[in-house]
Amino acid sequence: MDKELIIRSSSNHVDFALLKDGKLIELQKDEDSNDFSVGDVFIAKTRKAVPGLNAAFVNVGYEKDAFLHYHDLGPKLPSLLKFTKSVSTGKLNDFSLKNFPFEKDIDKNGSIANVIKSNQSLLVQIVKEPISTKGPRISSELSIAGRYIVLVPFSDRISISQKIESKEEKERLKRLVKSITPKGFGVIIRTVAEGKKVAELDKDLQNLMGRWTAMCKKLHKAKHPSKVLGEMNKASSILRDIFNDSFTGIHVDDEALYMQIKDYVQLIAPKKESIVKLYQSNVPIFEKFGVERQIKTSFGKTVSMAKGAYLVIEHTEALHVVDVNSGNRSNKANSQEDTALEVNLIAATEMARQLRLRDMGGIIVVDFIDLNTAEHRKKLFNHLRDEMKDDRAKHKILPPSKFGLIQITRQRVRPEMNIKTREDNPDGINGVEVEAPINIVPKIKHDMEQLFKKDYTKVTLNTHPFIAAFLTKGFPSIRSKWFFEHKKWVKILPRDAYTYLEYHFFDKDDKQIK
């Protein structure tokens, strides 16, 4: 399995495309204008507590106040408030917490009005970016994420990722981390820490302690509201979260970014430094690695899949609805049930990819093709669960209902990736948009393959002169590749009267094939 990260830089944003065996599975954008990223810490002031919601609204500098629920305060809120006030006024210069006297924890089921006052100075962290009409969601239970561990101030707990299955390894990591964790801090051990030595863990811990200290130093002169600890840049944070030994290449088209990423990889995985490569070519990097074409075909309302099947993805205010269709396809399966299972398994794989690619969150309902046997329904459920194992967002999948629906909830912490795939009609019809013309050749090929399956021996394709030239010119031409693949020659005739995206197939008797 090959994993490649393709990074495209422009003047105001950076695009990250994660490829798995050449297929696009994740797409992210880092924009300079995004001042409220998940993980950022702000010194802010509370506007007012709302006892009816058991929450407070906090001014973090966004056009709409951030929402802070009582359950997101954290049990150590009194200690955090006392520490913030002492550091901000200059009374406390020791940020290590080893000599800091902790206050009593707040009541688990208490009221916001008893612990938060209006116009109160507070350290908060973004846990959900502004989405649609809502302001950011925040927490005052701070955490600073590193490569192997997450540092949690005002805590004494050592937690460990549930994805580490070995009991012996869990005990080993807990023992090592406990021996190096300073007093007053808790630690969450990440999945990638599995098998790591104490020196690597300690190096990561010291780096996080350095970031904590740097943040505390800013508090004395910080304005309200202002960012006092920024999440590391997108390139480093993506590598921190997803990089592992299976990566075979990281390609960057910007020299400054290339040096920065190379330094970071050298820090976290010195043996893999050589896979970071500076891309230098006149062909745009996304075009060279086939990302641009995949973006055009993977976003939009309809998503094509293997063997003629396709998904229809609809978005509403409350949830996402996905319909699975078998399409116009012939199949060698023995029964309708086997065909339905095959299409559903293909759809489950694509569904897992689409969730990551679009970063869809909230409630997702997938209407799979009905399966009559419990064994097949279980096979589909297990397959979807396996395909979503690599998804970093927290998610939960419910087994198929009686109606063949599978419900998924997926954590949403940032706006969904939404890319416009329809374009102005090249035939010049005002106000009319069509499917991206880049999709026309795969569409023609798919229709042609359906005809070959129906035993049409001679097929003639009539199409616009531009498309006809694109299919026949060059060596080897696209038509020649079709011949080598299917052992059947397709006659292609240019038609001046056709519109740009129009095409029709004719049989040996020159009759149009519907």
Side-chain angles (χ1 to χ4, degrees), residues 39-196:
D40 288 348
V41 178
F42 286 77
I43 182 75
K45 284 201 173 179
T46 55
R47 290 262 198 212
K48 59 181 177 180
V50 184
L53 296 173
N54 206 16
F57 287 97
V58 180
N59 175 23
V60 293
Y62 188 65
E63 59 194 62
K64 292 199 171 182
D65 288 342
F67 183 79
L68 178 63
H69 194 270
Y70 185 86
H71 291 146
D72 293 322
L73 294 174
K76 302 290 184 183
L77 177 71
S79 301
L80 175 66
L81 291 172
K82 180 182 175 182
F83 178 83
T84 305
K85 186 176 181 181
S86 300
V87 173
S88 298
T89 55
K91 292 179 181 178
L92 182 65
N93 296 315
D94 178 12
F95 312 129
S96 67
L97 302 183
K98 62 182 178 182
N99 298 317
F100 182 77
F102 281 25
E103 298 293 306
K104 185 183 177 183
D105 291 2
I106 61 172
D107 183 7
K108 190 177 180 181
N109 299 309
S111 170
I112 193 93
N114 296 332
V115 291
I116 291 287
K117 299 173 185 174
S118 296
N119 210 33
Q120 189 167 26
S121 183
L122 183 65
L123 274 175
V124 294
Q125 188 165 32
I126 307 290
V127 294
K128 193 174 184 179
E129 293 176 15
I131 297 174
S132 186
T133 59
K134 299 173 183 176
R137 176 124 187 206
I138 56 177
S139 169
S140 57
E141 198 166 14
L142 309 181
S143 63
I144 309 173
R147 170 72 175 149
Y148 303 120
I149 60 177
V150 178
L151 187 68
V152 185
F154 306 100
S155 174
D156 56 2
R157 290 184 59 191
I158 307 291
S159 306
I160 191 160
S161 168
Q162 293 180 351
K163 291 183 180 179
I164 298 177
E165 296 176 354
S166 168
K167 191 176 179 182
E168 292 78 11
E169 179 63 7
K170 281 185 176 181
E171 291 298 324
R172 184 188 76 88
L173 286 170
K174 275 191 176 182
R175 191 171 61 252
L176 289 181
V177 169
K178 197 169 184 179
S179 68
I180 59 174
T181 304
K183 186 184 175 185
F185 292 87
V187 163
I188 302 167
I189 303 169
R190 307 185 74 177
T191 310
V192 286
E194 191 169 6
K196 299 302 175 188

Side-chain angles (χ1 to χ4, degrees), residues 19 27 95 106 133 140 192 234 309 319 352 477 502:
L19 305 182
L27 185 67
F95 312 129
I106 61 172
T133 59
S140 57
V192 286
K234 198 81 166 191
L319 46 78
S477 67
E502 184 182 357

